[in-house]
DNA sequence: ATCCTAACGCAAATATATTGCTTTTATCCC
DNA sequence: GGGATAAAAGCAATATATTTGCGTTAGGAT
């Protein structure tokens, strides 16, 4: 039921993994996630169903596995060194990226493969290094940890994406970023 | 695939619903969520599998449906009228309730039944009236909406519950509540 | 009381998931 | 290179779950 990281990282195992991942991507585009089945993926990838079941456990885990790999972890923001500016710019980009059709699909797919007990997924871990980069570039504001920033900026986006009925308000993440930056500034002893 | 609210709210339909819900609760306690199957639930409830498939669509939707009903929506906090005090007290209670085994299971079950497109679920809607009650009892602080409070207090709890590896830090929600209350205070013109 | 039909039961047909055993083939070690 | 080893894949039989057509039951309305 759990994804085994392929003990053998090359050769046939790798080819099978690539073929299966590609098949999932193609078929989701063709028939949609809801009509996707394991036997279908197996046939398209040229493997047997039992291979998929043994390696991934079930369809949700497989799709979740594929979805995770579409996460971008880099920070395509030009850093100015000004904390409020940098964080706001990144926050805006983050919200746009998550609140898109592929972004929402990815969140949905990752959650469907979640087993509920172990660590949820890489969704947050992909975000932390970026936030830390922005923090250190700014040198970093008093009393602000990456955790605090993620709680303030990322959490509302994810929460509303999943649980809220209404679409995300424009500027939600950007304003949260500016707010948390402003609070940090008030904590700085006024020289 | 979607939960049809029983068009007939009484009689046999109601009895079937109650029997099925009870069976789900019992069997989850006995064999665990992961070993639960539709035929098993059907047998325990004294109905046929096709009844369950036709009415709920699949197991995840059924379990999600049951989980939603275990949400408590009332506010068991004695309101003092002081915003910071009341919100902090509720936040602490909320975190404790969500960060328990039944709380985490509920979140997990609700998400597993999520179809990813429509409104996620009642998890947030159950919280909003409570926050609004606290806000109005305090009369309400300048520049603070229920949304803002939920973003600040509830979002980090839910996000970490789902996506974070580490256990919830003690006092996470309480401190977030105090922080948002403090910010609100600074917005009030100093009489 | 009688009609209407949503909801259920039954059972057959289909689809999906699991598993024991065999075969292939990376990888390791000489 | 060449052989030993075991992980990973294939195959096929089996078990389990899901879907579906059709007849039946019983709320709820007239």
């Amino acid at each position: 039921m759990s994804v085994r990281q392929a003990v053998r990282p090359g050769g046939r195992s790798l080819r099978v993994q690539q073929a299966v991942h590609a098949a999932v991507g193609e078929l989701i585009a063709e028939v949609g996630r809801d009509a996707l089945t394991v036997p279908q993926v197996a046939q398209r990838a040229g493997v047997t169903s039992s291979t998929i079941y043994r390696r991934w456990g079930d369809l949700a885990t497989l799709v979740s596995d594929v979805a995770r790999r579409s996460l971008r972890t880099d920070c395509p923001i030009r850093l100015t060194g000004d904390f409020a500016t940098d964080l706001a710019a990144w926050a805006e980009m983050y919200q746009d990226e998550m609140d898109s059709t592929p972004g929402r699909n990815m969140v949905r797919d990752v959650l469907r493969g979640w087993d509920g007990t172990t660590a949820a997924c890489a969704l947050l871990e992909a975000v932390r290094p970026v936030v830390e980069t922005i923090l250190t570039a700014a040198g970093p504001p008093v009393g602000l940890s990456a955790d605090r920033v993620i709680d303030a900026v990322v959490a509302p986006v994810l929460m509303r994406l999943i649980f809220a009925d209404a679409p995300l308000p424009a500027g939600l993440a950007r304003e949260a970023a500016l707010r948390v930056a402003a609070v940090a500034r008030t904590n700085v002893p006024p020289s």
Side-chain angles (χ1 to χ4, degrees), chain A:
Chain A
M1 203 47 110
S2 62
V3 177
R4 297 174 291 184
Q5 289 302 5
V7 185
R8 294 187 173 180
R12 183 168 62 165
S13 295
L14 179 61
R15 285 197 303 276
V16 167
Q17 192 198 51
Q18 289 174 335
V20 169
H21 277 181
V24 169
E26 292 169 22
L27 287 169
I28 283 183
E30 288 172 26
V31 307
R33 166 66 178 81
D34 288 341
L36 201 68
T37 65
V38 169
Q40 200 181 15
V41 173
Q43 181 175 11
R44 172 70 62 102
V47 303
T48 59
S49 294
S50 61
T51 294
I52 292 181
Y53 286 119
R54 279 205 252 258
R55 215 167 136 167
W56 282 277
D58 60 16
L59 184 62
T61 305
L62 169 58
V63 174
S64 177
D65 191 40
V66 174
R68 264 204 297 278
R69 288 169 201 274
S70 72
L71 284 172
R72 45 173 22 219
T73 60
D74 55 334
C75 175
I77 292 293
R78 186 193 309 273
L79 293 179
T80 68
D82 176 66
F83 180 64
T85 305
D86 289 344
L87 189 66
W90 174 79
E92 188 162 18
M93 188 216 67
Y94 179 76
Q95 175 174 344
D96 286 347
E97 192 151 314
M98 298 304 283
D99 191 20
S100 62
T101 302
R104 282 179 174 266
N105 285 342
M106 188 209 46
V107 172
R108 183 197 59 180
D109 291 337
V110 166
L111 285 180
R112 281 199 172 172
W114 182 37
D115 68 359
T117 56
T118 70
C121 70
L123 248 169
L124 270 196
E125 289 319 302
V127 141
R128 174 178 307 276
V130 180
V131 171
E132 278 167 354
T133 302
I134 295 176
L135 271 171
T136 44
V142 177
L144 263 198
S145 62
D147 278 333
R148 177 77 57 84
V149 172
I150 290 173
D151 282 346
V153 178
V154 175
V157 171
L158 288 176
M159 179 192 72
R160 286 165 181 257
L161 225 50
I162 298 168
F163 296 109
D165 218 338
L168 258 57
L172 172 73
R174 157 172 275 271
E175 282 161 26
L178 291 173
R179 215 174 295 127
V180 77
V183 170
R185 213 168 6 243
T186 67
N187 285 342
V188 178
S191 77

